[in-house]
Amino acid sequence: MSARPWSFDQPVASRGYRWWYVDALSDDGAHGITIIAFIGTVFSPWYAWAHRRGEVDPAEHCCVNVALYGAPKRWAMTDRRAGALKRDADTLTIGPSSLHWDGTALTIGIEEVTAPIPSRLSGSVRVLPDAVSERAFVLDGAGRHRWQPIAARARVEVALTHPALSWSGPAYFDTNTGTAPLEDDFAEWDWCRAPMRDATAVLYNATRRDGSTQSLALRVGRDGSVQDVEPPPPVRMAPTLWRLPRPTRAEGAAATATRTLVDAPFYSRSEIRTRLLGQDATAVHEYLNLKRFRSPILYSMLPFRVPRTLR
């Protein structure tokens, strides 16, 4: 198949990262899933300790993070060595889990162990994009971090065996890559994607460590076209239990957090109700605070959620 800028065999710089991200909510609103395949696991304390000592091969810290929302809830994020990684343009294998692109759909095979309480998490997830977008965005002034919304409009088919669960719904697929640790260049960011009848709205707001900011507001059509739109006004929703803010942008100052999916000391993922592109929508929202992530106290807490294996 032809090379793609987000192919699984793209190089990853020392101390850098590359990840492929999928999230989806079920049509009935009862379930959700997020899957992130990392080469250079940016939120792993093991990788953070390693790259602060100097040059390090990001393949020595790779993982497939899977989070289930609703009932039952599950979390798996095992940091693995380079021997667990195999990849070519179309297939990425990390330990017993894999991602495969066949030209029209992404199939993810999951075989993970949950944390902090071990249990089996296995099955398959199939992501079917309406179209694939080629446009990528630079997120920092030095050009070290890039983001590409591969398929902002997609459908998902979830078929898990452990736990036994199947559903379908709207999905999203993107990728991020960088040649330096996130915490070197960013203080915080927030992001959200809101699927609607004929388009998906995507917002990406970043505050860099030098104090500069960037605000992206995009309309992604069914054909994969990516159009810049005027960013709506800033809005702040209720903070998380960890007292993280949930900033976003919305028309008419209308945005409300309806369900917290992940509540961590430095990161939150939420389901929100918002208004974008002239329409009310249910959106997935995230907030990342990299000032908190740099805390040594936080690193001592993370291994319970991000165990490391030598295989």
Side-chain angles (χ1 to χ4, degrees):
M1 297 180 184
S2 61
R4 304 174 305 275
W6 54 271
S7 295
F8 298 124
D9 61 351
Q10 295 295 305
V12 186
S14 174
R15 301 180 73 246
Y17 62 89
R18 188 175 291 271
W19 78 68
W20 295 265
Y21 170 99
V22 170
D23 76 43
L25 298 174
S26 62
D27 286 325
D28 64 5
H31 303 284
I33 192 169
T34 300
I35 302 166
I36 314 175
F38 290 97
I39 302 174
T41 308
V42 295
F43 304 127
S44 162
W46 315 102
Y47 189 39
W49 284 320
H51 68 57
R52 288 187 180 185
R53 291 193 297 268
E55 298 299 308
V56 59
D57 181 0
E60 286 293 336
H61 297 273
C62 55
C63 85
V64 175
N65 169 221
V66 183
L68 295 184
Y69 315 118
K73 296 180 70 172
R74 297 288 189 273
W75 171 273
M77 190 172 181
T78 300
D79 195 46
R80 301 181 185 275
R81 297 288 302 273
L85 175 65
K86 297 179 178 64
R87 57 184 179 136
D88 58 30
D90 304 310
T91 303
L92 174 66
T93 300
I94 299 176
S97 297
S98 64
L99 292 78
H100 177 71
W101 174 255
D102 66 8
T104 59
L106 177 72
T107 300
I108 305 169
I110 299 168
E111 190 61 60
E112 296 292 329
V113 175
T114 62
I117 300 173
S119 66
R120 187 179 176 190
L121 179 53
S122 64
S124 68
V125 173
R126 187 167 169 81
V127 181
L128 299 102
D130 285 0
V132 171
S133 302
E134 298 295 335
R135 188 176 173 191
F137 298 83
V138 175
L139 299 177
D140 67 306
R144 302 204 297 183
H145 305 269
R146 297 174 66 87
W147 163 66
Q148 182 183 345
I150 300 168
R153 296 187 61 81
R155 292 286 298 175
V156 74
E157 298 171 351
V158 176
L160 301 183
T161 55
H162 296 84
L165 188 64
S166 62
W167 52 267
S168 60
Y172 171 93
F173 176 29
D174 77 6
T175 187
N176 283 63
T177 185
T179 59
L182 290 174
E183 61 269 29
D184 282 6
D185 293 314
F186 297 99
E188 61 181 347
W189 77 40
D190 64 271
W191 165 93
C192 88
R193 63 100 182 173
M196 302 172 195
R197 289 186 300 273
D198 299 315
T200 291
V202 185
L203 306 178
Y204 213 135
N205 305 295
T207 300
R208 303 164 184 145
R209 288 195 68 194
D210 64 7
S212 63
T213 61
Q214 180 177 24
S215 184
L216 298 171
L218 308 174
R219 181 191 186 278
V220 183
R222 288 186 179 276
D223 61 355
S225 60
V226 180
Q227 175 187 357
D228 294 278
V229 297
E230 184 68 23
V235 178
R236 284 192 174 267
M237 300 176 285
T240 69
L241 291 177
W242 280 100
R243 307 309 298 170
L244 283 179
R246 280 188 268 212
T248 189
R249 289 176 174 268
E251 296 167 5
T256 304
T258 55
R259 179 167 52 159
T260 301
L261 304 173
V262 175
D263 188 357
F266 68 97
Y267 177 85
S268 70
R269 185 178 296 125
S270 308
E271 181 182 305
I272 70 172
R273 287 291 296 169
T274 187
R275 185 170 180 83
L276 297 166
L277 304 180
Q279 300 177 52
D280 295 330
T282 297
V284 175
H285 172 275
E286 72 175 16
Y287 171 77
L288 173 63
N289 187 309
L290 288 154
K291 293 177 289 186
R292 282 199 185 184
F293 180 68
R294 294 170 67 89
S295 165
I297 296 174
L298 180 64
Y299 285 176
S300 68
M301 300 165 60
L302 284 176
F304 296 100
R305 296 284 279 180
V306 189
R308 179 154 170 82
T309 180
L310 299 181
R311 294 180 297 158

